[in-house]
Amino acid sequence: MIEYYYIYAVINKLDVNSFDIGGVKEAQLLVYKYKDYSLIYSLIDTRKLETEYKYLMQHEEVLEMLMEKSDVIPFSFSTILLSEASLEKFCNKYNDKILSNFENISGTVEMGVKILISKNISDECKENDIEESNGYSYMIKKFKEFTNKKNKIEEIKQKIYPIENSIYKLVIKDKKKYNENGKIIFNGAYLIEKENMDLFRECINNLEHGEDFEVMVSGPWPPYSFVSLDERREY
């Protein structure tokens, strides 16, 4: 039977040999040690793993377990190498990037913040739709929708500035995006020190949420948004 090398993460530890949980498809977690860090992987019998909820959760459980005692550079779901030689080849090729990433994320985790509006922005326009009797009416309607979206986003931005100010002192790096469509109007990822996780949640949860929006905080997560490795499926 051909075996493939399913990769979970690189961790900044060498003194690790066994684990209390299994990985995807309940496969044993194995360790490839290289210089000052270790690559965590499993042997599986397929070259591509289907995106099933069970497997996704198993992947995340491994990362969460590793985060408890290590800094973690996470790999995306179903990152698979083709041979044992690929492990050394990967580490040789990306060693400098791996070390640089560990410097950037040392002692940190990623926290997520989403802001959901109580009603899809577009719905507010549709309630007062102009009948599309001709091209002029259609253009007026589309302009009204655009203006409404823009105004709504600016209104909510003003309301959530106190939220951002309250967590600013805890944040090392962030990535944020406002969306004009859908219920999720804001999506933010924040890199913070592990010791500040509870304070981060407290800062957000203690703020008064608006009647027209809700703030949701998630994490801790591996710092997916703040690491950069040129991952490839095959070597």
Side-chain angles (χ1 to χ4, degrees), residues 106-155:
S106 177
T108 67
V109 293
E110 180 174 326
M111 300 294 288
V113 175
K114 286 184 171 61
I115 297 178
L116 292 76
I117 55 174
S118 58
K119 197 171 191 178
N120 190 304
I121 296 175
S122 298
D123 291 345
E124 295 188 359
C125 291
K126 292 176 182 177
E127 288 179 356
N128 300 307
D129 257 354
I130 298 173
E131 184 179 353
E132 297 180 32
S133 57
N134 54 51
Y136 177 77
S137 296
Y138 175 78
M139 293 302 297
I140 292 294
K141 186 194 79 168
K142 299 306 289 185
F143 178 75
K144 184 178 179 181
E145 287 180 1
F146 171 79
T147 303
N148 184 75
K149 289 178 184 179
K150 184 176 180 180
N151 291 342
K152 189 65 176 178
I153 289 175
E154 290 303 317
E155 177 185 337

Side-chain angles (χ1 to χ4, degrees), residues 8-209:
Y8 301 93
V10 180
I11 63 173
N12 63 336
K13 290 181 66 175
L14 288 174
D15 58 337
V16 55
N17 296 297
S18 61
F19 302 95
D20 296 330
I21 66 172
V24 295
K25 305 184 76 172
E26 301 180 359
Q28 181 183 0
L29 294 180
L30 302 171
V31 182
Y32 176 77
K33 298 179 181 180
Y34 184 89
K35 295 185 178 180
D36 297 325
Y37 52 84
S38 299
L39 194 153
I40 310 303
Y41 70 99
S42 290
L43 295 175
I44 62 173
D45 60 359
T46 181
R47 188 167 173 171
K48 183 177 180 180
L49 197 64
E50 295 300 322
T51 308
E52 295 184 15
Y53 179 78
K54 176 176 65 175
Y55 298 149
L56 289 168
M57 290 300 99
Q58 290 170 338
H59 181 96
E60 288 300 319
E61 286 171 5
V62 171
L63 295 180
E64 289 175 7
M65 178 268 297
L66 295 173
M67 284 171 54
E68 292 178 1
K69 297 181 180 180
S70 310
D71 291 332
V72 175
I73 298 175
F75 284 73
S76 56
F77 176 78
S78 197
T79 298
I80 297 173
L81 306 185
L82 303 183
S83 67
E84 184 174 4
S86 299
L87 302 180
E88 182 176 5
K89 183 178 179 181
F90 179 88
C91 292
N92 282 334
K93 184 173 183 178
Y94 295 104
N95 180 65
D96 290 345
K97 286 187 177 181
I98 289 171
L99 294 177
S100 176
N101 275 279
F102 276 133
E103 288 181 6
N104 293 333
I105 66 167
S106 177
T108 67
V109 293
E110 180 174 326
M111 300 294 288
V113 175
K114 286 184 171 61
I115 297 178
L116 292 76
I117 55 174
S118 58
K119 197 171 191 178
N120 190 304
I121 296 175
S122 298
D123 291 345
E124 295 188 359
C125 291
K126 292 176 182 177
E127 288 179 356
N128 300 307
D129 257 354
I130 298 173
E131 184 179 353
E132 297 180 32
S133 57
N134 54 51
Y136 177 77
S137 296
Y138 175 78
M139 293 302 297
I140 292 294
K141 186 194 79 168
K142 299 306 289 185
F143 178 75
K144 184 178 179 181
E145 287 180 1
F146 171 79
T147 303
N148 184 75
K149 289 178 184 179
K150 184 176 180 180
N151 291 342
K152 189 65 176 178
I153 289 175
E154 290 303 317
E155 177 185 337
I156 292 179
K157 279 184 180 181
Q158 294 299 321
K159 291 181 179 180
I160 66 177
Y161 281 148
I163 297 174
E164 292 196 301
N165 290 337
S166 71
I167 62 176
Y168 179 76
K169 62 181 180 294
L170 305 175
V171 174
I172 299 170
K173 294 181 181 179
D174 62 44
K175 291 189 175 181
K176 302 177 291 184
K177 183 179 180 181
Y178 285 92
N179 302 303
E180 293 187 356
N181 299 306
K183 283 197 169 185
I184 301 177
I185 196 170
F186 174 85
N187 201 344
Y190 300 88
L191 188 70
I192 66 168
E193 294 182 356
K194 291 181 179 181
E195 61 188 33
N196 287 330
M197 288 188 297
D198 291 339
L199 183 57
F200 184 91
R201 291 193 190 95
E202 183 180 341
C203 286
I204 294 177
N205 293 334
N206 284 347
L207 291 168
E208 183 178 353
H209 296 185

